[in-house]
Structures are given as C-alpha cells and as structure tokens.
Amino acid sequence: MTATTADGLPAAPAADTAPAAPATAAGLVVENVTVSFGGLSVLDNVSLTSSTGEIVGVIGPNGAGKTTLFNVICGFVRPQEGRVVWRGKQLRHHHPYDLASLGIERTLQGVGLFQGLDALDNVLVGAAPVARSGLFSALFGLWPSSREERRLRDQAMEALDRMGVAEYAARMPSTLPYPVQKRIALARALVSQPALVMMDEPASGLSASDISELAELLGALRSEMGVLIVEHNMDLVMATCDRIVVLDFGKVIATGVPDEIRADPVVTTAYLGEAVESEPADARD
Ligand SMILES: Nc1ncnc2c1ncn2[C@@H]1O[C@H](COP(=O)(O)OP(=O)(O)OP(=O)(O)O)[C@@H](O)[C@H]1O
Ligand SMILES: [Mg+2]
C-alpha cells in the first residue's frame, strides 16, 4: 500500500530522511500510521506529536497497540500506511540502531539490559553514540582512547548517579532488584542526552516511592527533551502527562489533557473503567 500524509496525499519519495511536507514545531510527528500483522489490524490511522517541553502519554488496554506504535517510531515495524517525521524530515527505512544518532532513545517494556555486562557497561552502550572516536578506531580495537573512555565512563557514572544507582555500577543486572535494573535502563537511555526519550511502561514493577521518584524525574526531563511514555499506571499518567493519547484496539479513541481524558465517557466506559477515576494530581497534595 502507498503511504499517505495526513491530507491523504502520497508520502514523499523514498529516501532515508526525505523532506517532510508541512513544517512543524513538534520534534516527532506520527501521521496516520496503520499496521496489521497477518490481516490483524494492530494500528489504525494513528497520529500523535511530541515536542520538548511536554510529556505525552500513550495509554490503552493490553494489546491496544502501544508498543507496536513505539516499534513503528523506532523502525522495528514498517507501517503499511502513514509516516514518521522527526525534526521536519520523514524517517524512512530507518532502523532501531539509527535512533541514537538521531537523538532518540527508548526504554523497553520490562528492562532490556545486557545480562553479560555490568551496570556501568550497560550505560556505556548508551553513551557510545556520543563518543568522538570513529569506526576505524573501533574496528582496530583502539576505541575508545583512554581519555575518551574516561570521559564516557564519567558520563555513564553521572547518569547512574542521577538515577540514584551509582553504587551498583560494577554489579551484574541479574544480581540487582528489578527497580534498580529499571533505573539502570533509564540511565542508559538518558546518558546521551537525547532530544526525545520514549519509555515503555517505566512504572511497571516499581513501588509507590519509586514511582513518585519517577514522576519527579519525568517532570525534570520535560524541559530537557521530548518525553513519550506508554504507561498503565493512571496516577502517574494523570499526574505527569501534559497530553494523553488513548488507544483501544489500535485506534485513537481520545486525546486531550488529563482532565479531559479523565472525564471522557468514551474512555471511562469503553476502556479505562474505574482506573481512570484516579484522584487529580493536585488533590493529593
Ligand atoms: N510481531 C507481531 N506479530 C504478530 N502480532 C503482533 C506482533 N507484535 C504485536 N502483535 C499483536 O499486536 C497487538 C498489539 O500488541 P502491542 O504489544 O503493541 O500491545 P500493547 O498495547 O503494547 O499491550 P501491552 O499493554 O500488553 O504491552 C497484540 O494483539 C499483539 O499480539
Ligand atoms: Mg506493550
């Protein structure tokens, strides 16, 4: 099928980053994305935007298509229709390993750490895109230079420290509690200071106090980068997100600010039920 724009026009010609039609202030624009797997419709004409200065939440029941949407943005899944525009250019034929150099980082549903690397090395994997050493050096085992390595290690330690887990730098992930592993995964995503971070269920498996620290972190990141989160924890979503996109069976059934989503009968009745009746954030103070 031919990819189309929001206006129903044919998408730009194939190129790794073809110019997008309309200029937009949003860093990320997902336009009319449609995905089906073996005839099963998983995303149906889904659009959203994300910019620095806002936290956008993507919510929806299990199987709604949230992770698939992230996979489309990351280049894991090619949409049958629609397109992904990043900083004014359409991403085509991109792959997950291109993302870091584009300034996009992602945490996976679960943890997704390399089990054979200690915490610091896991974060260094995320720091690699900002390394100055080149491919030649890497190929010949010269990467990174000791000075470069020190710089990267300092950055990685700072990222671990920001997440409050610097003391575990030398530990293997499997020896650490799940919430600590999740913080390490966040450190890996943030160490390169991306322009957009995408988090898939960052609160899952966390205690209330961990979630409250996560909310603080999200608030702090808002001014530094675009933040896109997929999350089931409605209290976190309602307290931190500036805008929310609700997916159900692959379709956007609602978009709006938390109060609009909370009050939307389509959302409350058709999808969230009681869960959306979480207390407004300001009522908990
Ligand atoms: N590679 C794939 N091949 C076939 N079906 C898939 C594939 N990936 C996802 N699906 C199906 O697509 C639908 C959406 O899955 P997805 O993982 O995006 O949902 P989700 O909203 O992230 O759910 P959850 O909240 O449980 O993580 C599901 O029905 C899933 O089984
Ligand atoms: Mg998912």
Side-chain angles (χ1 to χ4, degrees), residues 52-63:
T52 300
E54 62 173 357
I55 300 171
V56 177
V58 179
I59 65 173
N62 294 119

Side-chain angles (χ1 to χ4, degrees), residues 46-51 53-61 64 66 69-70 218 222 227-248 251-264 266-268 271-272 275-281 284:
V46 171
S47 299
L48 64 74
T49 62
S50 162
S51 312
E54 62 173 357
I55 300 171
V56 177
V58 179
I59 65 173
K66 305 178 296 295
L69 179 60
F70 271 21
L218 291 170
R222 181 188 275 115
V227 180
L228 194 54
I229 63 168
V230 162
E231 188 47 67
H232 285 293
N233 184 307
M234 284 308 119
D235 285 339
L236 179 68
V237 167
M238 295 296 168
T240 58
C241 290
D242 299 289
R243 286 190 297 117
I244 298 169
V245 176
V246 187
L247 284 180
D248 192 20
K251 287 187 205 280
V252 175
I253 59 165
T255 59
V257 300
D259 282 346
E260 290 169 329
I261 297 301
R262 199 184 275 113
D264 190 329
V266 172
V267 178
T268 49
Y271 154 58
L272 286 169
V276 81
E277 290 162 16
S278 59
E279 280 183 277
R284 289 196 298 274

Side-chain angles (χ1 to χ4, degrees), residues 37 40 42 60-69 109 200-201 230 232:
F37 293 120
L40 172 74
V42 174
N62 294 119
K66 305 178 296 295
T67 297
T68 304
L69 179 60
Q109 191 167 340
D200 198 344
E201 300 195 20
V230 162
H232 285 293

Side-chain angles (χ1 to χ4, degrees), residues 28 48 51 80 92 103 105 127 139 157 173 220 230 240 245 263:
L28 177 75
L48 64 74
S51 312
Q80 276 85 33
R92 297 179 67 112
E105 289 288 345
L139 284 176
M157 280 304 297
V230 162
T240 58
V245 176

